[in-house]
Amino acid sequence: MSAKVNKVVLAYSGGLDTSIIVPWLKQHYGNPEVICYCANIGQDDELSGLEEKAIATGASKCYVEDLREEFVRDFLFPLLQSGAVYERAYLLGTSVARPLIARRQAEIALQEGADALAHGCTGKGNDQVRFELTYMAFAPHLKVIAPWREWNIRSREDALDYAAEHNVPVTATLKSIYSRDRNIWHMSHEGGILEDPWNEPEEAMYTLTTAPEAAPDEPEYVVVGFEQGTPVSVNGKRLEPVELLLTLNDIGAKHGIGRVDLVENRLVGMKSHGVYETPGGTILRVAHQGLEQLTLDRDTLHYKDVIAHRYAELVYYGQWYTPLREALDAFVRVTQRNVTGEARLKLYKGNATLVGRRAAKSLYNPDIASFTMSDSYNQKDAEGFIKIFGLPVKVQALLEGRSGVEG
């Protein structure tokens, strides 16, 4: 038996792993009281009967909280505004959710007077870091128990055997070959045939989006409205954050929008192959970028792209509750002051194409940009600019003897 704990709060999903963790904690940590915590962040169909299942597994109680509004408003929309994308493709759906879940779990543990926190993350994955960095930020004195780093269970078969031995009610079977994570932003898929990155994902694997080949044969246009970088409307109708994202998820899924197949670098050092479905998030990203094209000056836009890369790493690495993230958010908020307007997208067969954008404080001046001559821009001014801008190049050429004059 490991060191005894009196009360532990477990991050609980009701899946196979977290279900068997409840009796395992009791068996190996001196029969503590186990309290389960689950956050509803958009995986609604997985929450039915969750509290009853936790109690039947041996938990004393189970918290199930609806955090969708906070998740969209305080995590997803700031992520969108930052422009963060991990390794060119991943919109960070799982990564950005963990800090919220872990924070509320830690707060419940403090409220309940628990002396330990537990999670079901594997020792190979990124989530263990995301959970535990958040624990450190909010309950650094509590013991952390990570069964996957301790027990001798090594496979799905082992886990099912343990569940049967301890009368744990589970619905998982060996036929469930994929490991999935769902929330209101995305669905991820790992394992199964994806463990060979040469394999094309089978269509039956996808759960949110229509295959582009089977999507409607006519394109659909959607207009997304923003106020200071925050999405506020779809096709002219103002919507609350959760309703807005759900609406775009439905529209995007119908047209096969947001599928990504990626071999990514995990924080722990290995590469992994995953497939993501992010229909509404993909639409929002394209629309938001379209408005920023109009409203951000060149230097700010280019530097924001630099910040976006670091922001994506920070989120992926679980460093949400850090001074750096707060500082980057402050920068991003300033950049969003004029990002108010609308972007129009054409959705067709898996593609979300920006086809229009307008903003009250647009920096785009048709009179200056037009190929038609006007008094707003004197083209002769370019001559002096080019001479000054190219002076370092000219000096280097002269130094290297490329003046065209024999020495």
Side-chain angles (χ1 to χ4, degrees):
M1 186 181 74
S2 303
K4 178 179 173 59
V5 297
N6 296 313
K7 186 183 292 188
V8 55
V9 176
L10 167 67
Y12 182 75
S13 68
L16 175 59
D17 291 349
T18 56
S19 293
I20 64 173
I21 285 175
V22 176
W24 185 90
L25 288 169
K26 288 179 168 292
Q27 181 183 6
H28 292 274
Y29 280 88
N31 196 32
E33 178 184 355
V34 179
I35 297 172
C36 293
Y37 176 76
C38 178
N40 175 7
I41 51 173
Q43 74 283 25
D44 304 83
D45 59 340
E46 302 172 13
L47 300 175
S48 178
L50 200 66
E51 184 175 358
E52 295 79 3
K53 183 176 182 179
I55 302 301
T57 306
S60 63
K61 65 175 73 171
C62 180
Y63 287 85
V64 181
E65 292 185 319
D66 188 345
L67 301 183
R68 291 175 299 168
E69 182 77 19
E70 182 178 2
F71 182 45
V72 177
R73 183 190 64 234
D74 297 340
F75 289 77
L76 293 179
F77 284 175
L79 178 72
L80 171 70
Q81 292 169 1
S82 76
V85 176
Y86 187 70
E87 296 194 339
R88 308 170 181 170
Y90 175 36
L91 298 187
L92 295 160
T94 295
S95 310
V96 74
R98 297 318 191 217
L100 173 59
I101 298 169
R103 190 203 77 211
R104 282 299 297 144
Q105 180 194 359
E107 290 170 346
I108 293 296
L110 296 176
Q111 173 186 316
E112 288 282 350
D115 52 348
L117 291 157
H119 62 74
C121 310
T122 72
K124 283 186 173 183
N126 303 302
D127 277 345
Q128 59 182 333
V129 182
R130 298 165 185 155
F131 270 91
E132 294 183 33
L133 261 60
T134 303
Y135 297 161
M136 291 177 188
F138 290 93
H141 61 292
L142 296 186
K143 179 178 178 60
V144 176
I145 303 173
W148 271 103
R149 301 201 297 253
E150 297 183 34
W151 62 20
N152 57 7
I153 294 173
R154 291 292 178 266
S155 66
R156 197 169 186 82
E157 292 86 348
D158 291 345
L160 287 168
D161 289 344
Y162 186 91
E165 180 183 348
H166 292 83
N167 299 313
V168 176
V170 295
T171 57
T173 69
L174 294 179
K175 294 180 181 180
S176 303
I177 62 173
Y178 295 107
S179 173
R180 292 186 168 100
D181 178 72
R182 181 178 183 178
N183 59 48
I184 196 172
W185 190 245
H186 87 159
M187 172 72 86
S188 67
H189 312 267
E190 292 181 323
I193 65 169
L194 299 180
E195 292 186 352
D196 182 348
W198 181 252
N199 288 333
E200 178 181 2
E202 56 186 351
E203 187 57 39
M205 179 200 71
Y206 292 98
T207 59
L208 296 185
T209 54
T210 300
E213 301 90 338
D217 292 328
E218 295 296 324
E220 179 174 354
Y221 291 83
V222 61
V223 177
V224 183
F226 292 80
E227 291 181 357
Q228 295 188 342
T230 298
V232 295
S233 67
V234 175
N235 294 330
K237 182 179 179 181
R238 289 190 70 90
L239 299 170
E240 293 300 313
V242 171
E243 185 181 5
L244 183 144
L245 184 51
L246 289 174
T247 298
L248 291 178
N249 278 340
D250 289 342
I251 296 172
K254 178 174 65 175
H255 292 277
I257 305 299
R259 292 185 175 189
V260 167
D261 185 325
L262 176 66
V263 174
E264 68 197 57
N265 289 290
R266 286 183 177 175
L267 174 58
V268 295
M270 69 187 72
K271 288 186 181 289
S272 65
H273 181 208
V275 171
Y276 301 103
E277 300 176 79
T278 317
T282 299
I283 292 172
L284 285 173
R285 172 170 164 74
V286 175
H288 182 258
Q289 286 182 325
L291 267 187
E292 286 194 328
Q293 292 170 9
L294 290 181
T295 56
L296 297 188
D297 65 277
R298 180 189 63 198
D299 287 347
T300 300
L301 179 65
H302 291 182
Y303 193 72
K304 187 169 180 289
D305 285 343
V306 176
I307 293 298
H309 178 78
R310 183 65 186 94
Y311 200 106
E313 290 182 333
L314 180 150
V315 174
Y316 192 82
Y317 298 163
Q319 297 172 303
W320 185 266
Y321 297 108
T322 60
L324 177 57
R325 197 271 304 172
E326 293 180 6
L328 294 182
D329 272 351
F331 168 81
V332 170
R333 279 193 296 271
V334 171
T335 70
Q336 299 302 291
R337 288 183 300 195
N338 293 333
V339 187
T340 297
E342 293 180 313
R344 185 171 73 247
L345 278 68
K346 179 180 180 180
L347 311 180
Y348 182 67
K349 300 289 187 182
N351 295 302
T353 305
L354 182 70
V355 295
R357 70 290 260 170
R358 59 189 177 190
K361 295 186 177 181
S362 171
L363 297 175
Y364 180 83
N365 188 320
D367 190 39
I368 294 177
S370 173
F371 282 99
T372 302
M373 295 294 184
S374 71
D375 295 333
S376 300
Y377 183 86
N378 187 342
Q379 298 196 43
K380 292 182 179 179
D381 292 343
E383 181 179 355
F385 165 75
I386 295 170
K387 287 180 178 179
I388 297 299
F389 187 68
L391 184 59
V393 178
K394 182 177 182 179
V395 170
Q396 185 70 26
L398 293 171
L399 177 67
E400 296 177 0
R402 288 185 272 122
S403 63
V405 179
E406 296 294 333

